[in-house]
Amino acid sequence: MKALEISKLKKTYSNGVEALKGVSLVVEKGDFFALLGPNGAGKSTLIGIISSLVNASSGEVKVFGDSVQKNRSQAMRHLGLVPQEMNFNQFESPLDIVVNQAGYYGLPRGLALERGEKYLRQLKLWEKHDKPSRQLSGGMKRRLMIARAMVHEPELLILDEPTAGVDIEIRREMWEFIQQINNAGTTVILTTHYLEEAEQLCRNIAIINHGVLVKNTDVKSLLASLDVETFILDTREEITAPPLVDGIRTQLLDPTRLEVVVPKQRSLNSLFTQLNDQNIHVLSMRNKSNRLEELFMRMINEDNDPKESSL
Amino acid sequence: MSSALNWVGYKTLVRKEVKRILRIWGQTIVPPAITMTLYFVIFGNLIGSRIGQMDGVDYMTFIVPGLIMMSIITNSYGNMVSSFFGAKFGKHIEELLVSPLPSYVIVAGYVTGAMMRGLMVGSVVSIIAMQFTDISIYNLSITLSVALLTSMLFSLAGMINAIFAQKFDDIAIIPTFVLTPLIYLGGVFYSISLLPQFWQNVSAFNPIFYIINAFRYGLLGKSDVDITSAYIIIILFVTLLASACLWLVHTGKGLRS
C-alpha cells in the first residue's frame, strides 16, 4: 500500500521561482522516510503541496490513494503535519489547541479531550495544559505541534525539522516518541538538517536539490555507496608536515591534529602501523562528519557542479 | 467528509471564536458599550432634549435603532477582520487549511463567530438604550431578521478584507475610510427628509441607509425606505459576499501559495 504517491509534481511561484521541476516519489505504508536537501531545495514546497497549503502548478499527490488535488478533504484525513515554523495561537492553551484541531477532524468533544490529554501527557506537556502557550519553552512548543498533529491519529505523519533548536535530551525523547509512533504503524516522513537523526531513524531516504530528486534509496544502500571515510586524529607529538601513508590521503589541520581520508577497502591497522613507524602516536580518533552527512555533502556538491568527482 | 464530521468542525470553530471574544471581553464588549453610552448621554439626552422630536418620536428614541445597528455592523466586521487576519498573520489559519474541513464550513464558522460578537454587543447596547428610553418593539421578526442579516453581511465583508490584507494597516483602512462614513451618512442621527433632494438621491446609493431604516422600521415602525426594497438589497449583498468568500477560501486566494 502506498502511503504517499507523488507524480510529476511541478511548482512555479508567481514571482517566477521554479521550486519543483517534476518530482515523482513513492513512500510505502509503515515506512520511516527522510526527505533531505539544502535550504531552498524545494522540501518545504513539497510538504506544502502534500498538506494542501501550497497549490501545485501541475502533477498530482495521493495520500493513501486519495488525491490532494481532486479529493482534498478525504486526503487530509490521513495526514498529520508538524510544520517547521510555529503556527498555533500563542494566546490559547495547549489543551485548547489540540482539542480544537481534533474537532476540525470531526472528533466529538469528549474523545477530543481524552486524546488531547493522552498526547499532552505522552509529550510531557500536561503540566502546562491550561497555560497560555506563549509561556512554553521552544522545545515544548515543538512538542505541542507534534501532539496537535497526532490528536486525530493520522496514518501519515510529516515532520518538517521537528527537532530544530531543541536540546539533545529533548531531541532524543522526541526521537523515541516518533519511533514508537512508527512502530505502531504510522508512516513517518521527516525532514531534518541533523543527518545523524535521519541515519538513526529512517529506513528510506530521498535527497532533493534545486527542485529535482537527486537520490531516492534506502539508507543502508546509500551508506554502502560511501567509498571513503574521513577521520580526525589527535596526536601526542607535534607534527610539522603531513605524514606519507600508503594509499591514504593526509592533511595537517594543526600541529597535533591530522585529517585522514581512508578508502573503504583499506584497513585502519595499516594506517596506525605506518603512523607508528613514523613515531606518530594517536591519542584519539573520530569521524569528521557522520557518514550520511559526508555523502549528502558530496551529492549536493556534485549536483551543484557536475564536473566534480562522483561518489 | 460526512456532514456529521463537518458539523463537529463547525461547532469547534464557533466555540473557539466565542471563547476568543469572551477571553478578551475588555476589548470586544466593554469599549462599544462605553462609546454607545456616551452617544446616548450626549446626543440623545443632552442635545436630543433640545431637538425635540424626529419622525414623530423623541430624538433619543429615534437614534436608538441606528446606534444598535452601528454596533452590530462595526463589531461583526471588526471581529472578522481581527480574528481572521490575526490567524493569517500568526499562521494558525494553517490549522484549518490542513484539516479536512471544506471551505464552506470554514466560512460558516468564522461568520457565525463574528455574528455572535455583533449580536452580543448589539444586545448590550439595547440594554443600555433601555436605561435612557422606553422601547417597544414594533415588529419582532423584522427586527431580528434585519439584525441577523446585517451581522452576516458585515462579517462576510470583513472576511474579504482580511483575506486580501497583507498588513495590519490594511484592516484599518476600510472601517475608517469606508464603513464609518457610510454609517454616519446612513441616517443614524437624522431622517433623510431633512436633507436637500440631491443628498437624498445620494443616500439612495448607500446600502447602510437601507439597513438602518429597515431596523428602525422593525423597532419603531418608522422608515424612510420601502421595507421590501431594504430586504432585497440586504439579501443581494449577503448572497454576493458569501459567494465571493466561498470562492476565495476554496481557491485559497491570499491563504494558500
Side-chain angles (χ1 to χ4, degrees), chain A residues 142-161:
Chain A
R142 293 224 166 265
R143 281 180 280 153
L144 172 56
M145 291 201 294
I146 296 176
R148 184 184 60 181
M150 281 306 299
V151 76
H152 64 285
E153 301 189 339
E155 293 163 276
L156 171 62
L157 179 68
I158 299 181
L159 302 118
D160 195 0
E161 296 188 27

PDB file of all heavy atoms in Angstrom, chain A residues 142-161:
ATOM      1  N   ARG A 142       7.538  22.918  20.181  1.00  0.00           N
ATOM      2  CA  ARG A 142       7.712  21.909  19.123  1.00  0.00           C
ATOM      3  C   ARG A 142       6.944  20.639  19.484  1.00  0.00           C
ATOM      4  O   ARG A 142       6.297  20.027  18.634  1.00  0.00           O
ATOM      5  CB  ARG A 142       9.187  21.584  18.927  1.00  0.00           C
ATOM      6  CG  ARG A 142       9.969  22.730  18.377  1.00  0.00           C
ATOM      7  CD  ARG A 142      10.936  22.300  17.274  1.00  0.00           C
ATOM      8  NE  ARG A 142      11.412  23.476  16.557  1.00  0.00           N
ATOM      9  CZ  ARG A 142      10.870  23.924  15.441  1.00  0.00           C
ATOM     10  NH1 ARG A 142       9.876  23.285  14.884  1.00  0.00           N
ATOM     11  NH2 ARG A 142      11.332  25.011  14.860  1.00  0.00           N
ATOM     12  N   ARG A 143       7.004  20.237  20.762  1.00  0.00           N
ATOM     13  CA  ARG A 143       6.276  19.030  21.185  1.00  0.00           C
ATOM     14  C   ARG A 143       4.764  19.242  21.091  1.00  0.00           C
ATOM     15  O   ARG A 143       4.014  18.319  20.778  1.00  0.00           O
ATOM     16  CB  ARG A 143       6.688  18.641  22.608  1.00  0.00           C
ATOM     17  CG  ARG A 143       8.038  17.921  22.632  1.00  0.00           C
ATOM     18  CD  ARG A 143       8.429  17.540  24.019  1.00  0.00           C
ATOM     19  NE  ARG A 143       8.992  18.664  24.737  1.00  0.00           N
ATOM     20  CZ  ARG A 143       8.957  18.800  26.044  1.00  0.00           C
ATOM     21  NH1 ARG A 143       8.385  17.896  26.799  1.00  0.00           N
ATOM     22  NH2 ARG A 143       9.511  19.847  26.616  1.00  0.00           N
ATOM     23  N   LEU A 144       4.341  20.484  21.361  1.00  0.00           N
ATOM     24  CA  LEU A 144       2.906  20.787  21.253  1.00  0.00           C
ATOM     25  C   LEU A 144       2.436  20.583  19.808  1.00  0.00           C
ATOM     26  O   LEU A 144       1.344  20.054  19.564  1.00  0.00           O
ATOM     27  CB  LEU A 144       2.650  22.237  21.714  1.00  0.00           C
ATOM     28  CG  LEU A 144       1.250  22.792  21.496  1.00  0.00           C
ATOM     29  CD1 LEU A 144       0.185  21.917  22.160  1.00  0.00           C
ATOM     30  CD2 LEU A 144       1.142  24.225  22.035  1.00  0.00           C
ATOM     31  N   MET A 145       3.284  20.980  18.858  1.00  0.00           N
ATOM     32  CA  MET A 145       2.878  20.813  17.455  1.00  0.00           C
ATOM     33  C   MET A 145       2.817  19.327  17.080  1.00  0.00           C
ATOM     34  O   MET A 145       2.011  18.932  16.238  1.00  0.00           O
ATOM     35  CB  MET A 145       3.828  21.578  16.534  1.00  0.00           C
ATOM     36  CG  MET A 145       3.680  23.092  16.702  1.00  0.00           C
ATOM     37  SD  MET A 145       4.280  24.060  15.315  1.00  0.00           S
ATOM     38  CE  MET A 145       6.021  23.703  15.386  1.00  0.00           C
ATOM     39  N   ILE A 146       3.647  18.502  17.734  1.00  0.00           N
ATOM     40  CA  ILE A 146       3.570  17.049  17.482  1.00  0.00           C
ATOM     41  C   ILE A 146       2.267  16.501  18.075  1.00  0.00           C
ATOM     42  O   ILE A 146       1.550  15.730  17.430  1.00  0.00           O
ATOM     43  CB  ILE A 146       4.806  16.313  18.064  1.00  0.00           C
ATOM     44  CG1 ILE A 146       6.084  16.782  17.356  1.00  0.00           C
ATOM     45  CG2 ILE A 146       4.647  14.797  17.918  1.00  0.00           C
ATOM     46  CD1 ILE A 146       7.364  16.187  17.909  1.00  0.00           C
ATOM     47  N   ALA A 147       1.951  16.943  19.305  1.00  0.00           N
ATOM     48  CA  ALA A 147       0.700  16.488  19.944  1.00  0.00           C
ATOM     49  C   ALA A 147      -0.504  16.885  19.089  1.00  0.00           C
ATOM     50  O   ALA A 147      -1.430  16.092  18.884  1.00  0.00           O
ATOM     51  CB  ALA A 147       0.583  17.102  21.340  1.00  0.00           C
ATOM     52  N   ARG A 148      -0.466  18.112  18.572  1.00  0.00           N
ATOM     53  CA  ARG A 148      -1.577  18.593  17.738  1.00  0.00           C
ATOM     54  C   ARG A 148      -1.712  17.753  16.466  1.00  0.00           C
ATOM     55  O   ARG A 148      -2.811  17.437  16.037  1.00  0.00           O
ATOM     56  CB  ARG A 148      -1.325  20.072  17.385  1.00  0.00           C
ATOM     57  CG  ARG A 148      -2.445  20.717  16.612  1.00  0.00           C
ATOM     58  CD  ARG A 148      -2.100  22.125  16.201  1.00  0.00           C
ATOM     59  NE  ARG A 148      -0.913  22.162  15.344  1.00  0.00           N
ATOM     60  CZ  ARG A 148      -0.381  23.269  14.847  1.00  0.00           C
ATOM     61  NH1 ARG A 148      -0.923  24.433  15.141  1.00  0.00           N
ATOM     62  NH2 ARG A 148       0.684  23.235  14.078  1.00  0.00           N
ATOM     63  N   ALA A 149      -0.561  17.414  15.870  1.00  0.00           N
ATOM     64  CA  ALA A 149      -0.599  16.626  14.626  1.00  0.00           C
ATOM     65  C   ALA A 149      -1.068  15.192  14.878  1.00  0.00           C
ATOM     66  O   ALA A 149      -1.599  14.544  13.984  1.00  0.00           O
ATOM     67  CB  ALA A 149       0.780  16.610  13.978  1.00  0.00           C
ATOM     68  N   MET A 150      -0.863  14.691  16.112  1.00  0.00           N
ATOM     69  CA  MET A 150      -1.190  13.295  16.421  1.00  0.00           C
ATOM     70  C   MET A 150      -2.605  13.099  16.950  1.00  0.00           C
ATOM     71  O   MET A 150      -3.073  11.965  17.024  1.00  0.00           O
ATOM     72  CB  MET A 150      -0.205  12.750  17.470  1.00  0.00           C
ATOM     73  CG  MET A 150       1.155  12.351  16.919  1.00  0.00           C
ATOM     74  SD  MET A 150       1.047  11.182  15.557  1.00  0.00           S
ATOM     75  CE  MET A 150       0.237   9.789  16.345  1.00  0.00           C
ATOM     76  N   VAL A 151      -3.268  14.209  17.328  1.00  0.00           N
ATOM     77  CA  VAL A 151      -4.525  14.064  18.077  1.00  0.00           C
ATOM     78  C   VAL A 151      -5.609  13.327  17.285  1.00  0.00           C
ATOM     79  O   VAL A 151      -6.458  12.656  17.869  1.00  0.00           O
ATOM     80  CB  VAL A 151      -4.995  15.447  18.608  1.00  0.00           C
ATOM     81  CG1 VAL A 151      -5.595  16.300  17.502  1.00  0.00           C
ATOM     82  CG2 VAL A 151      -5.969  15.273  19.748  1.00  0.00           C
ATOM     83  N   HIS A 152      -5.566  13.408  15.948  1.00  0.00           N
ATOM     84  CA  HIS A 152      -6.566  12.657  15.170  1.00  0.00           C
ATOM     85  C   HIS A 152      -5.991  11.325  14.684  1.00  0.00           C
ATOM     86  O   HIS A 152      -6.627  10.630  13.887  1.00  0.00           O
ATOM     87  CB  HIS A 152      -7.095  13.494  14.002  1.00  0.00           C
ATOM     88  CG  HIS A 152      -6.070  13.841  12.976  1.00  0.00           C
ATOM     89  ND1 HIS A 152      -5.113  14.801  13.198  1.00  0.00           N
ATOM     90  CD2 HIS A 152      -5.827  13.359  11.746  1.00  0.00           C
ATOM     91  CE1 HIS A 152      -4.338  14.879  12.117  1.00  0.00           C
ATOM     92  NE2 HIS A 152      -4.738  14.010  11.238  1.00  0.00           N
ATOM     93  N   GLU A 153      -4.803  10.978  15.215  1.00  0.00           N
ATOM     94  CA  GLU A 153      -4.130   9.713  14.921  1.00  0.00           C
ATOM     95  C   GLU A 153      -4.063   9.436  13.417  1.00  0.00           C
ATOM     96  O   GLU A 153      -4.710   8.499  12.912  1.00  0.00           O
ATOM     97  CB  GLU A 153      -4.781   8.570  15.719  1.00  0.00           C
ATOM     98  CG  GLU A 153      -4.674   8.884  17.202  1.00  0.00           C
ATOM     99  CD  GLU A 153      -5.072   7.761  18.142  1.00  0.00           C
ATOM    100  OE1 GLU A 153      -5.799   6.850  17.722  1.00  0.00           O
ATOM    101  OE2 GLU A 153      -4.653   7.823  19.320  1.00  0.00           O
ATOM    102  N   PRO A 154      -3.258  10.248  12.723  1.00  0.00           N
ATOM    103  CA  PRO A 154      -3.173  10.124  11.260  1.00  0.00           C
ATOM    104  C   PRO A 154      -2.384   8.883  10.853  1.00  0.00           C
ATOM    105  O   PRO A 154      -1.571   8.375  11.625  1.00  0.00           O
ATOM    106  CB  PRO A 154      -2.423  11.396  10.849  1.00  0.00           C
ATOM    107  CG  PRO A 154      -1.569  11.718  12.023  1.00  0.00           C
ATOM    108  CD  PRO A 154      -2.349  11.286  13.233  1.00  0.00           C
ATOM    109  N   GLU A 155      -2.619   8.440   9.617  1.00  0.00           N
ATOM    110  CA  GLU A 155      -1.864   7.288   9.095  1.00  0.00           C
ATOM    111  C   GLU A 155      -0.501   7.736   8.572  1.00  0.00           C
ATOM    112  O   GLU A 155       0.423   6.945   8.476  1.00  0.00           O
ATOM    113  CB  GLU A 155      -2.643   6.640   7.954  1.00  0.00           C
ATOM    114  CG  GLU A 155      -3.924   5.980   8.397  1.00  0.00           C
ATOM    115  CD  GLU A 155      -4.842   5.739   7.227  1.00  0.00           C
ATOM    116  OE1 GLU A 155      -5.579   6.676   6.836  1.00  0.00           O
ATOM    117  OE2 GLU A 155      -4.829   4.623   6.692  1.00  0.00           O
ATOM    118  N   LEU A 156      -0.419   9.018   8.174  1.00  0.00           N
ATOM    119  CA  LEU A 156       0.847   9.560   7.670  1.00  0.00           C
ATOM    120  C   LEU A 156       1.186  10.828   8.459  1.00  0.00           C
ATOM    121  O   LEU A 156       0.394  11.766   8.493  1.00  0.00           O
ATOM    122  CB  LEU A 156       0.720   9.899   6.174  1.00  0.00           C
ATOM    123  CG  LEU A 156       1.890  10.664   5.543  1.00  0.00           C
ATOM    124  CD1 LEU A 156       3.178   9.851   5.601  1.00  0.00           C
ATOM    125  CD2 LEU A 156       1.590  11.019   4.083  1.00  0.00           C
ATOM    126  N   LEU A 157       2.356  10.809   9.088  1.00  0.00           N
ATOM    127  CA  LEU A 157       2.786  11.977   9.871  1.00  0.00           C
ATOM    128  C   LEU A 157       3.999  12.601   9.175  1.00  0.00           C
ATOM    129  O   LEU A 157       4.993  11.907   8.917  1.00  0.00           O
ATOM    130  CB  LEU A 157       3.153  11.547  11.297  1.00  0.00           C
ATOM    131  CG  LEU A 157       3.653  12.652  12.221  1.00  0.00           C
ATOM    132  CD1 LEU A 157       2.541  13.639  12.553  1.00  0.00           C
ATOM    133  CD2 LEU A 157       4.223  12.072  13.518  1.00  0.00           C
ATOM    134  N   ILE A 158       3.898  13.890   8.870  1.00  0.00           N
ATOM    135  CA  ILE A 158       5.023  14.592   8.235  1.00  0.00           C
ATOM    136  C   ILE A 158       5.611  15.561   9.248  1.00  0.00           C
ATOM    137  O   ILE A 158       4.892  16.407   9.800  1.00  0.00           O
ATOM    138  CB  ILE A 158       4.568  15.348   6.973  1.00  0.00           C
ATOM    139  CG1 ILE A 158       4.002  14.365   5.956  1.00  0.00           C
ATOM    140  CG2 ILE A 158       5.730  16.126   6.367  1.00  0.00           C
ATOM    141  CD1 ILE A 158       3.542  14.987   4.662  1.00  0.00           C
ATOM    142  N   LEU A 159       6.899  15.428   9.496  1.00  0.00           N
ATOM    143  CA  LEU A 159       7.570  16.307  10.460  1.00  0.00           C
ATOM    144  C   LEU A 159       8.637  17.117   9.720  1.00  0.00           C
ATOM    145  O   LEU A 159       9.593  16.543   9.187  1.00  0.00           O
ATOM    146  CB  LEU A 159       8.234  15.477  11.563  1.00  0.00           C
ATOM    147  CG  LEU A 159       7.288  14.574  12.347  1.00  0.00           C
ATOM    148  CD1 LEU A 159       7.689  13.119  12.166  1.00  0.00           C
ATOM    149  CD2 LEU A 159       7.301  14.924  13.820  1.00  0.00           C
ATOM    150  N   ASP A 160       8.434  18.415   9.663  1.00  0.00           N
ATOM    151  CA  ASP A 160       9.366  19.294   8.961  1.00  0.00           C
ATOM    152  C   ASP A 160      10.341  19.898   9.981  1.00  0.00           C
ATOM    153  O   ASP A 160       9.977  20.831  10.701  1.00  0.00           O
ATOM    154  CB  ASP A 160       8.568  20.391   8.229  1.00  0.00           C
ATOM    155  CG  ASP A 160       9.403  21.123   7.198  1.00  0.00           C
ATOM    156  OD1 ASP A 160      10.592  20.789   7.042  1.00  0.00           O
ATOM    157  OD2 ASP A 160       8.862  22.040   6.549  1.00  0.00           O
ATOM    158  N   GLU A 161      11.505  19.345  10.063  1.00  0.00           N
ATOM    159  CA  GLU A 161      12.541  19.762  11.017  1.00  0.00           C
ATOM    160  C   GLU A 161      11.995  19.880  12.449  1.00  0.00           C
ATOM    161  O   GLU A 161      12.033  20.953  13.046  1.00  0.00           O
ATOM    162  CB  GLU A 161      13.163  21.082  10.576  1.00  0.00           C
ATOM    163  CG  GLU A 161      13.896  20.929   9.252  1.00  0.00           C
ATOM    164  CD  GLU A 161      14.680  22.161   8.867  1.00  0.00           C
ATOM    165  OE1 GLU A 161      15.071  22.893   9.770  1.00  0.00           O
ATOM    166  OE2 GLU A 161      14.877  22.354   7.673  1.00  0.00           O
TER     167      GLU A 161
END
